[in-house]
């Protein structure tokens, strides 16, 4: 079973920040939080990952609560091309060799 | 960045036949690859872990005799759907972690339709 829960869907106005929450209350100390997104009929695309500190890259920011039981992915200025299903995954290594168990994800729709 | 390809991108086959799907890591070697299946409007479901030089590890409920996985080299894993039936129609996606990577790279997927 997936170790994460996310809201099934969200809408966001174009140009505004999209904040996507994820609960991972059973996360272990050695597990990282990964975010991927899947645009229709394509393979998932890596966005960002983190352990306990907040992270930022060119695509997004990741905010992890101090107790690590939840996190939020922030797309600072959403565009129509950000419309996708966003998956939050916890995995015990950063080597990438551990299998991913996908939850249901959040279907983000960016509105013009 | 690292690229994973799949071939074919879509395939239609008749019920009872077998179909092979290839997953290649184009610019890195992958000792491990993963195969997922995704039905319409559903999430990805992990089917198996493909291990170079050893047998694949299948998830519970996945028939290993029906979904044959061969990790032929450090850049190629194949999934063969044997005696396909209409209920095997799905979107099949592979992923591979690069040796020094943090994330996994996913292929573009293969859409299988069994008629």
């Amino acid at each position: 079973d997936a170790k994460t829960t996310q809201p099934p869907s969200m809408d966001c106005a174009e140009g505004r920040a999209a904040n996507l929450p994820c609960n991972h209350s059973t996360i272990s100390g050695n597990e990282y939080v990964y975010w991927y997104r899947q645009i229709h009929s394509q393979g998932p695309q890596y966005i960002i990952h983190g352990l306990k500190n907040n992270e930022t890259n060119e695509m997004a920011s990741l905010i992890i609560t101090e107790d690590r039981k939840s996190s939020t992915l922030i797309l600072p200025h959403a565009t129509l091309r950000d419309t996708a299903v966003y998956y939050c995954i916890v995995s015990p290594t950063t080597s990438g060799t551990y299998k991913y168990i996908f939850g249901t994800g959040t279907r983000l729709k960016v509105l013009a | 960045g690292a690229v994973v390809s799949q071939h074919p991108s879509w395939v239609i086959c008749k019920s009872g036949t077998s179909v092979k799907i290839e997953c290649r890591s184009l610019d890195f070697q992958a000792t491990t690859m993963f195969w997922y299946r995704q039905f319409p409007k559903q999430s990805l479901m992990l089917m198996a872990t493909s291990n170079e030089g050893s047998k694949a590890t299948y998830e519970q409920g996945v028939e290993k005799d029906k979904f044959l996985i061969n990790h032929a080299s450090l850049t190629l894993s194949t999934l063969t759907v044997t005696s396909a039936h209409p209920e095997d129609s799905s979107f099949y996606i592979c992923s591979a972690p690069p040796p020094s990577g943090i994330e996994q790279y996913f292929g573009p997927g293969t859409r299988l339709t069994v008629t």
Side-chain angles (χ1 to χ4, degrees), chain A residues 34 36 38 41-44 46 49 87 93-104 107, chain B residues 32 34 36 38 41-44 46 49 59 91 93 97-98 101-104 106-108 111:
Chain A
Y34 291 82
Y36 286 77
Q38 185 180 27
S41 295
Q42 297 181 25
Y46 167 79
H49 80 284
Y87 294 100
T93 76
T94 56
S95 69
T97 57
Y98 196 79
K99 60 187 180 184
Y100 288 167
I101 304 300
F102 282 77
T104 55
R107 188 173 298 272
Chain B
T32 303
F34 300 92
Y36 297 83
Q38 186 176 33
K41 297 192 182 299
Q42 294 187 23
S43 184
L44 284 77
L46 179 67
T49 303
E59 295 299 302
F91 193 50
I93 305 170
I102 297 171
E103 69 274 25
Q104 291 191 28
F106 286 81
R111 186 161 302 283

Side-chain angles (χ1 to χ4, degrees), chain B residues 55-72:
Chain B
K55 293 183 179 179
T57 305
Y58 291 83
E59 295 299 302
Q60 189 174 7
V62 178
E63 299 176 61
K64 62 180 180 181
D65 294 330
K66 179 170 183 61
F67 299 99
L68 302 179
I69 291 173
N70 181 27
H71 202 127

